[in-house]
Amino acid sequence: MNTSFSIIIPVFNTKKEFLIESINSALSVNYDNYEILIVDDGSSKETKDLLSTFNNSKIKIINHEAN
């Protein structure tokens, strides 16, 4: 699949409800050739655990160890 565009979501200990809403909104895009890049800038384990619950081939998580 060729990617036509990317949706980039920066994350650093983002509030759980906001993060879920943001990702679900990005997943609801009515188009096939896109990816969602979540850039985690050294978040806590709780945020990393939440991100790991999303199992979708469009989502790619980029982890930075430290902010």
Side-chain angles (χ1 to χ4, degrees):
M1 174 179 86
N2 292 342
T3 302
S4 295
F5 65 96
S6 299
I7 299 172
I8 301 170
I9 303 174
V11 174
F12 179 71
N13 295 335
T14 306
K15 186 176 175 183
K16 178 181 178 178
E17 294 80 14
F18 179 73
L19 182 55
I20 291 169
E21 183 179 340
S22 298
I23 294 171
N24 284 335
S25 177
L27 286 170
S28 72
V29 170
N30 193 17
Y31 195 75
D32 290 331
N33 298 331
Y34 74 100
E35 65 183 355
I36 301 168
L37 299 176
I38 300 174
V39 182
D40 178 13
D41 198 17
S43 293
S44 66
K45 182 176 180 335
E46 179 180 337
T47 300
K48 291 182 186 310
D49 289 346
L50 176 61
L51 290 175
S52 71
T53 65
F54 286 90
N55 187 17
N56 188 297
S57 62
K58 291 191 180 302
I59 297 174
K60 295 174 180 50
I61 300 172
I62 301 168
N63 288 304
H64 292 230
E65 293 302 316
N67 181 285

